[in-house]
Amino acid sequence: MHRLLLLSCLWLLTAPLVSSIFQRPTGSPAPPHLQYLLEPLHSTVHTQRGATATLPCVLRALPRNYRVKWSKVEPANYGENVIIITNGLYHKNYGPLSPRVHLRHSHRYDASLTITNVALEDEGRYRCQLVNGLDDESVSLTLHLEGVVFPYQPSNGRYKFNYHEAKKACEQQDSRLATYQQLYKAWTEGLDWCNAGWILDGTVHYPIINSREPCGGRLLLPGVRTYGTRDKQKDRFDAFCFTSALQGKVYFIRGHLNFKEAGQACRNHGAAIAKVGQLYSAWKFSQLDRCDGGWLADGSVRYPITTPRERCGGLPDPGVRSFGFPSKELRAYGTYCFVG
């Protein structure tokens, strides 16, 4: 009873202090009020590579002599790239997105941005800004691509890429360097990899599900471990690449082929030997499941498993398994081909 009375007294004494913490200080600026732009119902638009996506931006009223400016926010460069500017009657497109963007303009209050044939590099944050003299205001939206993150290293072993080489390597495998958000999401979905790799913003990380001695020790909690920002020219790590849905198909050709014969077998079918990112995409989005190792364009041999089983590597989780980079003269594998 005395304990309850003491707690009650303490609450009465501290309640004014607690409530004041959550009140906005007198004279502090209120959150910006949107006078002309409608706040979007959903600030994130989900899409896939090759699709058409629309980022909503609707006006509730048309001010006199206004302009609407769409731009893509680039945190790594601390800037924005202008995409399109309109005054409601005329518009002008800017930058590399120019051929693939237009205003939806389904009614006179609609300034929504439509992106056709969405590419991997389109993911990110966008801003719709109403320019109206002193009454400028804006809304921010995020374009999110559904996809898959995979670790990548070259044939000569781990920790060989500087940042620029890692970026190029991912692009050569039909992918791009992953963002931190993409890597984090992949970790929540089970990505467990002990080698550190570059991501798009120039930082270095590795995702751990099962804590173990070679990966920081058993006492560290699971998570995305970080080395922070590194020297893009001098420091060397692996890469974490991101790819999305394919506009095409990956399929397997049986045989005992060396690397050169594997490429020719695909060309004989009007296809090309598949890249690593294309195999991961087919595994993720088309549920490609084969127990056969096959050559890929980078000289590696891999196979995709969606239903784990004892005779297909014996590992309990789905994934793309790897035999590494065997001798290109070895006649022991089939090949994975891609036709667009």
Side-chain angles (χ1 to χ4, degrees):
M1 186 70 181
H2 293 294
R3 191 175 184 181
L4 287 173
L5 183 59
L6 178 60
L7 287 172
S8 300
C9 293
L10 284 172
W11 167 248
L12 288 173
L13 288 170
T14 57
L17 175 62
V18 172
S19 63
S20 68
I21 292 173
F22 294 98
Q23 292 174 354
R24 191 188 314 124
T26 304
S28 65
H33 175 68
L34 293 176
Q35 181 179 357
Y36 295 106
L37 294 177
L38 290 173
E39 190 72 38
L41 287 175
H42 304 287
S43 60
T44 300
V45 174
H46 296 266
T47 188
Q48 293 180 356
R49 179 169 53 174
T52 296
T54 297
L55 299 168
C57 184
V58 177
L59 284 71
R60 69 173 84 235
L62 301 177
R64 187 175 298 178
N65 300 324
Y66 77 96
R67 288 178 298 152
V68 170
K69 179 177 73 173
W70 274 100
S71 55
K72 189 169 189 286
V73 180
E74 303 291 353
N77 303 328
Y78 302 101
E80 297 186 12
N81 293 327
V82 177
I83 299 170
I84 195 168
I85 297 177
T86 180
N87 64 0
L89 296 176
Y90 306 100
H91 69 272
K92 185 173 182 179
N93 292 20
Y94 299 86
L97 266 174
S98 181
R100 296 189 288 113
V101 297
H102 63 269
L103 296 171
R104 183 174 63 181
H105 206 63
S106 57
H107 52 77
R108 68 194 189 108
Y109 297 100
D110 185 14
S112 302
L113 182 74
T114 295
I115 305 173
T116 60
N117 193 23
V118 170
L120 294 176
E121 60 268 22
D122 295 343
E123 173 156 305
R125 193 154 63 90
Y126 292 76
R127 176 173 288 127
C128 176
Q129 182 179 12
L130 177 77
V131 181
N132 183 37
L134 297 177
D135 298 323
D136 294 357
E137 55 190 60
S138 65
V139 294
S140 293
L141 300 108
T142 299
L143 185 66
H144 171 75
L145 269 69
E146 301 294 340
V148 57
V149 171
F150 60 93
Y152 189 74
Q153 58 184 222
S155 59
N156 56 342
R158 72 173 194 162
Y159 295 175
K160 300 298 182 181
F161 294 135
N162 67 24
Y163 172 82
H164 306 288
E165 292 165 344
K167 187 172 182 288
K168 184 178 179 181
C170 288
E171 291 166 356
Q172 288 174 339
Q173 296 308 315
D174 193 50
S175 59
R176 72 188 299 240
L177 278 175
T179 65
Y180 181 81
Q181 290 78 9
Q182 290 164 346
L183 181 63
Y184 185 88
K185 183 174 184 291
W187 169 71
T188 66
E189 294 171 350
L191 181 60
D192 182 277
W193 196 255
C194 203
N195 293 345
W198 294 101
I199 63 172
L200 188 61
D201 64 2
T203 57
V204 175
H205 309 266
Y206 63 102
I208 293 297
I209 299 290
N210 302 305
S211 299
R212 49 203 186 271
E213 285 305 327
C215 305
R218 297 179 183 276
L219 299 180
L220 283 180
L221 293 173
V224 178
R225 314 263 171 83
T226 180
Y227 287 7
T229 303
R230 312 299 289 192
D231 189 304
K232 291 182 178 181
Q233 293 288 354
K234 298 178 181 178
D235 290 326
R236 295 187 173 272
F237 298 94
D238 291 347
F240 286 105
C241 305
F242 171 84
T243 192
S244 185
L246 285 174
Q247 291 182 289
K249 179 182 179 182
V250 173
Y251 62 93
F252 182 75
I253 294 178
R254 290 183 179 275
H256 296 280
L257 309 170
N258 63 30
F259 178 71
K260 184 177 179 180
E261 292 166 342
Q264 188 59 53
C266 292
R267 291 191 291 273
N268 291 344
H269 286 77
I273 189 168
K275 299 177 179 180
V276 177
Q278 291 167 342
L279 185 66
Y280 269 92
S281 181
W283 165 75
K284 174 76 173 180
F285 291 99
S286 302
Q287 289 73 54
L288 184 62
D289 183 288
R290 288 205 68 99
C291 208
D292 308 278
W295 291 103
L296 295 176
D298 66 340
S300 64
V301 173
R302 307 174 195 248
Y303 61 101
I305 295 296
T306 56
T307 305
R309 45 208 186 269
E310 191 63 35
R311 292 191 176 184
C312 293
L315 296 176
D317 300 315
V320 174
R321 318 278 196 246
S322 175
F323 288 122
F325 294 85
S327 167
K328 290 185 176 181
E329 302 303 318
L330 187 63
R331 284 191 172 94
Y333 306 104
T335 183
Y336 288 96
C337 305
F338 170 74
V339 60

